[in-house]
Each structure stands twice: as structure tokens, then as C-alpha cells.
Amino acid sequence: SQQGEEDPQALSIQEGENATMNCSYKTSINNLQWYRQNSGRGLVHLILIRSNEREKHSGRLRVTLDTSKKSSSLLITASRAADTASYFCATDYQGAQKLVFGQGTRLTINP
Amino acid sequence: SAVISQKPSRDICQRGTSLTIQCQVDSQVTMMFWYRQQPGQSLTLIATANQGSEATYESGFVIDKFPISRPNLTFSTLTVSNMSPEDSSIYLCSVISQGYEQYFGPGTRLTVT
């Protein structure tokens, strides 16, 4: 399979804590994207990080990329109940613009 | 970012019938993609739809089962033909921005009984 792996598969934390999710992939990439999905609805685009970037921030989100290890992480700081969702990483496959998705991390924020 | 709409948002269909899903984008785009998300699973690409040419299907997906139309640069349809319960999924279309971000529609939740 060309899919990446995400861990953990599920993560449950208290509101206000930080949440870290990891993504590994198998082939070389041009960029990696992170998405959020609430309750089986559409995907919300969070961040795109390019292969020549090592870290990117957007609000409470921080994404890192290590191309030597073929891995990425998504950090959500000061979590909120509204952050409860599934989070997916996706990579472009062999330089094409189609995406290959990881299996996702189910994040639950407990009040 | 692009604004993408899909119709219908959900449907319940009987096996053996077909459903056509529409995807509308608020700007002209060269490439549109159709993905499937089976219950509890991640997303899998069905096909890439370019305007003016035949869609390109991924391994495991065939045109007879998932015919796609792309009549112009803002619209595409995906038909799920001769449906079976295994086709119950969320179907999503997506487009790519100039910055290579890929944006998704809200999805069509299909249940086949």
C-alpha cells in the first residue's frame, strides 16, 4: 500500500492540553497536507507543508516535516472541545497532484 | 480557497440502482478529483477528472461502475452504478489551488439498502 501510517489511531486528552499526532509515508513527496474531519463530514484543510520546509505554524497548529525519516507531526496547542475530530495527513503520490491519505487519528478532547 | 458544493448531501438508495453526484466549484479549475471514504476508513482516490478528456481511474475502480463527466471547468459528476451495499460510503470531490492545497467538498453520504 502507498498509504501512510498515522499514530496514534486514537488520542484522548483533557481540554487545555497539547495534542500531537504523527504521520509516516513511504515515497518521496513534494508536499504534505493535514486535514480535519468532524463526524464523517467534509474535510477541512489545515496546513500544507512543502518538502523543503521543516516547520510551519497556523494559529494553534504546528506542523513539522522530516523528509529524511519520511515523517510529519501535527501539534495542536491548548486544545478545545471543538478540536474533537479525526485528523488525516495526505501526501502527493510520486509527484502527481492526487493525494494518498493516512489512516487518521481520532482525537477526543474531554472537558 | 475554493468553495465547493456537492449534491445531494446524502441519499438512501436501493441496490441495483444508480446515483449521480454533482460537484460545483466557484472558480475554474483544471483538475478535479473524486474520492471515496468507506465507513470508518480513510479516503481513497477513485479518479481524476480533467475537462475535455476521459477521466483517469485508479486501480480497483472502473468506468463502467463509476462513470464521470466533466463538461466544463467548474462542474463534474460521478455516477455510482448498479449499487450494492458495499458502495455505502461518503463520496467527496476535490480541487487544487494554485498553491497546491487540495480542497474538498462537503461530501455525499450514500447508503445502499
Side-chain angles (χ1 to χ4, degrees):
Chain A
S1 167
Q2 297 298 330
Q3 279 189 326
E5 299 292 330
E6 292 188 57
D7 80 274
Q9 292 187 356
L11 178 63
S12 180
I13 61 174
Q14 295 300 118
E15 194 167 18
E17 295 180 340
N18 296 340
T20 299
M21 290 157 272
N22 302 295
C23 166
S24 61
Y25 55 91
K26 298 181 180 179
T27 64
S28 62
I29 62 171
N30 293 318
N31 57 65
L32 183 146
Q33 305 185 57
W34 283 91
Y35 293 87
R36 182 183 75 231
Q37 186 178 40
N38 294 84
S39 300
R41 301 175 66 89
L43 269 69
V44 174
H45 186 273
L46 297 177
I47 287 183
L48 178 149
I49 186 165
R50 305 185 194 284
S51 60
N52 61 353
E53 297 176 312
R54 292 296 168 259
E55 188 170 313
K56 205 162 182 179
H57 297 254
S58 177
R60 295 183 295 113
L61 306 180
R62 171 178 168 250
V63 168
T64 62
L65 179 64
D66 187 335
T67 53
S68 66
K69 296 181 179 178
K70 291 186 169 60
S71 67
S72 175
S73 68
L74 170 66
L75 168 67
I76 303 174
T77 61
S79 63
R80 305 168 182 170
D83 294 328
T84 294
S86 292
Y87 292 81
F88 295 91
C89 68
T91 55
D92 60 323
Y93 176 55
Q94 293 183 337
Q97 292 177 329
K98 55 187 179 182
L99 295 181
V100 177
F101 281 80
Q103 291 300 317
T105 294
R106 174 68 188 168
L107 175 65
T108 301
I109 309 298
N110 301 304
Chain B
S1 66
V3 176
I4 306 169
S5 60
Q6 285 186 233
K7 290 181 181 179
S9 59
R10 60 177 60 222
D11 207 341
I12 301 173
C13 301
Q14 292 189 341
R15 67 176 68 205
T17 63
S18 298
L19 176 71
T20 296
I21 301 168
Q22 300 179 7
C23 178
Q24 179 77 52
V25 188
D26 68 340
S27 57
Q28 294 185 339
V29 293
T30 303
M31 299 171 73
M32 296 178 75
F33 303 88
W34 286 97
Y35 289 82
R36 180 177 75 180
Q37 186 178 27
Q38 295 178 300
Q41 302 296 313
S42 186
L43 281 77
T44 301
L45 180 66
I46 298 172
T48 303
N50 292 326
Q51 195 270 337
S53 63
E54 292 288 329
T56 302
Y57 289 82
E58 298 300 308
S59 176
F61 297 96
V62 295
I63 188 171
D64 290 345
K65 175 67 175 177
F66 297 101
I68 287 172
S69 78
R70 184 78 200 276
N72 57 52
L73 292 173
T74 63
F75 186 79
S76 178
T77 68
L78 169 75
T79 298
V80 186
S81 303
N82 188 24
M83 288 183 285
S84 67
E86 292 72 35
D87 294 321
S88 297
S89 298
I90 300 173
Y91 292 86
L92 303 101
C93 64
S94 70
V95 301
I96 295 180
S97 72
Q98 290 186 340
Y100 296 102
E101 292 92 354
Q102 190 159 141
Y103 297 103
F104 285 79
T108 295
R109 184 182 291 272
L110 170 62
T111 302
V112 183
T113 61

